[in-house]
Amino acid sequence: MPDRPIVEDPMSADLAWNEDDAPFSSRFGDIYFSAEDGLAETRHIFLEGNGLPAAWAGKTDFTIAETGFGTGLNFCAAVQLWLETRPRDGLLHYVSIEGFPLNADECFRALKHWPELEPIAKALRGRYPEPVPGMHRIHFPDWGVVLTLAIGEAGAVLSGLHGRIDAWFLDGFAPSKNPEMWREEVLSEVARLAVPGGSLATFTAAGAVRRSLAALGFEIHKVPGFGRKRDMVVARKAPDSLGRQATLSARAVTIRERSRLDRVAIVGGGIAGASLVRALRRRGMDPVLYDGAGPCSGASGNAYALVTPRMDAGDSAVARFFAAAYRYAIAQYGEGDGWDPCGVLVMLEDEEALVRAGKAQGFAWQPAASGSLLDRAQASLQAGIDLECPGLFYRSAGLLQTTHLIHDWIGPTTVIETDIDRVSRTERGYSLLDSNGDIAGEADVVILAAGDGNRRFADTRWIPLTPVRGQVSEVPATDAGHALKCALSWSGYLSPVRDGRHMLGATNDRNNKIGDDWGWVVLEEDHRHNHENMPDYLTHLVDEPNASWSGRARLRSATPDRVPLFGAVPDVAGLANAFRNPAGRGYITFPDGDLLILGGLGSRGFVTAPLAAELLVARLLGEVWPVEESLGITGDPVRFASRAHRHARIEEFLG
Ligand code: SAM
């Protein structure tokens, strides 16, 4: 999604408040909602205009999309109606696009006019994201509501949106004051995303808008507007208009009813498996988790994980995925108990690192943009100890108590402590087989989330995954070490003292020097490596490695491009199809196979797994994706085959 200067300006909404304390946009010279009664207006135009609540009656999933989130009034009104009339086990997806975001307090101030909305407005304020460009997914699990707030210019956001919209709320200031919002490119995306038979409502009855919508396959009706407005428009996407939206996005969507997908198996009980369980359980589903040694026995089971953004100096889909994943992860962790946002100071040890940090700060979507660039003295003050270089301080980053979180997310899910060695296709789905070839379970969909264990399956053998040994040292605190206030990160990292010790990490070994035990045996040599890798000016914080040091070692699983794997694992025929795909996007749509993977997380699993899991589950269920399409396909395993194909090495690649 290209950024536009409008969304990078924090004052971009140019908000003013009139004498009734109602918001007004000086930029557009227009009001956010009717001066008479905004809530009544919303109900008339958007809720009744889209035939709600009748339109969602009896549906398990219903998706509303809105152009112009503004204060969140339409969202709150829709949620209020949903809570009164919610179908059994129903999930409401509400997608809203906003180019000039208000902040949480401004939304709340505007919504104060309606005390009846207060519980919803408060919940929104509590979870409202930092209004930075990109998509933000916010869950209200108790209500069966998922809000996807997409911050960016409407046309750009919509072209990257992936999903099926049942009802549109077109609410982007009057066409005469804001023609940008009503231009052909925007409305054609509205039509592309609308399901056949889906509805649309808008306050405007402008002729140009009506004509564009009609040309795009909507049946238009002029109906009485709200208050003094004579007309407004409601419309329905012609049920036979599928041909118009036969884009890849539309084809890529499988419609699966959650209630009919009751056998989902997840192999692996680390952060990948736990994130998948959580995403499924939030939708009322009940997967089964398989892990031979039980949850947290692999690389995710270190006592603490450092959760810190990846700093990319450029603007790529991968960089944006990592940024979105970081934002999503810390929002999820912040809702639980084991999250310790102590802050992380990334040490900028040379000129090159400093330049990269400066570049990263130039992108409003980068977590670095809200990080503080500190000179040496400021960095020392922040850290509580003397440092010898400047740093980039991420206030929102921190330490996670991993096992606490993983057990919490797995909750009451059935865990079967059997190592799965093979998955074989059956008529209805898959059998999961143990090392003796005995059937340990059956499922319609299997998601491999077993870290390094993902390599053992016949179907994944073509995916280039490498085991990487990582040992973290747990180092007793000294008096000097207690002064450290935040975590420090260089090519290694040091945590502040927790439970009387520092976490000092971590090794990264791709070569097995020690034989069978190499995955988990703790080595003194690796403690020494972690110590020697510390910058000299930090070594006084800990003693030399000695017998009081303990640690934990496990194998992580890495991909050659350091981007995780999230997507379908095709069989060879599916693979051949994918890289021959003339659309060239090179990703597998799920109807081609229900064997999925979430892996190759390297050392950043606690950053990427929650969003990747949410995306996989959204794709599986044909829901709106939580990220733009270009970001959502970055993890597709098929990329390796496509690359080999491009370099005429596909035969060799598939071996
Ligand atoms: N639905 C909102 C509510 O419930 O408060 C009111 C929406 S207000 C009338 C229109 C919104 O559209 C504003 O928040 C404005 O910033 C946004 N907007 C205008 N032009 C836009 C564009 N080109 N892209 C994205 N958002 C835009």
Side-chain angles (χ1 to χ4, degrees), residues 28 31-33 66 68-74 97-100 152-154 171-173 178 180-181:
F28 292 100
I31 48 173
Y32 280 75
F33 41 72
E66 170 184 52
F69 185 75
T71 64
L73 173 60
N74 290 347
I97 294 127
E98 178 53 62
F100 310 85
E153 198 281 323
D171 193 16
F173 292 134
N178 186 20
E180 280 270 293
M181 189 62 130

Side-chain angles (χ1 to χ4, degrees), residues 105-118:
D105 290 338
E106 289 164 341
C107 291
F108 196 67
R109 177 170 165 187
L111 294 168
K112 269 210 150 123
H113 290 276
W114 300 281
E116 61 188 296
L117 296 180
E118 191 178 309

Side-chain angles (χ1 to χ4, degrees), residues 566-653:
F566 41 94
V569 181
D571 53 23
V572 173
L575 196 56
N577 254 339
F579 64 74
R580 281 192 209 106
N581 176 359
R585 305 234 198 164
Y587 76 99
I588 298 281
T589 57
F590 289 1
D592 295 320
D594 292 330
L595 180 63
L596 312 180
I597 191 166
L598 173 47
L601 303 177
S603 55
R604 292 192 177 271
F606 284 91
V607 172
T608 53
L611 183 61
E614 174 66 15
L615 173 72
L616 268 191
V617 171
R619 284 183 65 177
L620 182 65
L621 298 171
E623 297 172 357
V624 168
W625 292 16
V627 289
E628 300 85 326
E629 186 175 79
S630 57
L631 278 57
I633 64 174
T634 52
D636 208 297
V638 84
R639 66 186 185 269
F640 298 113
S642 302
R643 282 171 205 164
H645 180 59
R646 270 202 306 278
H647 295 110
R649 285 194 300 105
I650 189 67
E651 301 307 329
E652 186 189 330
F653 179 81

